[in-house]
Every structure is written in C-alpha cells, then in structure tokens.
Amino acid sequence: MRGGTVSASVTCRQCVSRARVPLAFIKQQSFLQRMGFILSKSMEQNFQKQQEFMLLNGRLQLERQLLMQNQMRERQMAMQVAWSREFLKYFGSFFGLATLGLTVGAVKKRKAALLGPIIPLGFILAYQMDMAYGSLIHRMRAEAESIMVSESERLDLPHGMPTFESIEKSRRAKAHLSSLLEK
C-alpha cells in the first residue's frame, strides 16, 4: 500500500485491469456491497409480501365474482317465480271464466262434450300453481342434482369446453373473412 492506494488486483475483484485504486474507494465499494445485500434482502421480503398480497387479492376477486354470479342467479330465479305468479293470476281468471262459460253452455245445450277443454286447462292451471306456490322448483333442483351426479355425460358441450386457442382461431377466421369482404 503506497500513499493511500492499493493494487486493484488484490482487493477489488470487479476491476479487470491492474489500475491503482484509492483505499477510500475500496472501503466505499465494500460498504455498498453490504448495503446491496441488505437492500436485496429487503427487496426480496417486499417481493414476497407483494406476492402474498396479489394472491389474497386474486382470492378476494374470485370470491366476489362467485357471490355476484350467485346473486344474479337468485335474481333470475326470483323473476321466474314472480312471472309464474303473475301469469297464474291471468290464467286463473281465464280458467275460471272459461270453466263457468263452458259449464253454463254444457247445461243449456245438454252437451257434455263442452266440458272437455276444462281438463287440459285444469292441468295447465295445476302446473302454474305448482310453479308459483308449490314445490316444483325444489323437485326440479333435486332432479338436476341427480342428473349432474349420475348422467353427467349429458351435460358435455359439443367439441368439449371452449379453449383460448379455439376462440382465437374462430376470431381470426372471422377477422380474415371480414377483411376479404372489404376488398
């Protein structure tokens, strides 16, 4: 060590040449290397925390999506039941008037055949009552669950589940066709 300098080949591995480097520079390099290690450790911890946060955020997003889809399904089912109840009011009125009219006509004309339409209309009324106020939805759900368990092959889509590649292939084909039509 001469005059506060050290040979670079001895202490500084990063230097390729044998230039003379001041001792203060080497101490600064050593300090920076230690700081780099500390910073790298800190960055690694921050990276792990960020990964955990992203995983948690993804999970929350998926849970929200599932809840939203379930709420939409419940609203659609509620609308279907409400529609059935509303339809039942109108159909019940029609059935009552038709039954009254057909009965009066059958008695006056002494033709029992006029009572024939009451039977199929009665079945329709019974179905609508079961849909609106009965247990039809519960029976349908139980049957759907049974089909999903024992006959799942009936639920398969033609050509299987759509994939990203199949969707892209279709999109590209349509884009190619539209560009040909423009020419």
Side-chain angles (χ1 to χ4, degrees), residues 56-72:
L56 179 64
N57 195 25
R59 183 180 175 136
L60 283 174
Q61 187 176 5
L62 180 62
E63 287 177 5
R64 287 179 181 138
Q65 215 170 23
L66 290 172
L67 285 172
M68 181 185 70
Q69 288 175 350
N70 190 47
Q71 284 183 3
M72 291 303 293

Side-chain angles (χ1 to χ4, degrees), residues 95-121:
F95 180 77
L97 290 173
T99 302
L100 182 65
L102 289 172
T103 305
V104 169
V107 169
K108 282 189 177 181
K109 295 190 178 191
R110 295 182 191 249
K111 290 185 179 178
L114 289 175
L115 297 175
I118 293 175
I119 295 171
L121 290 175

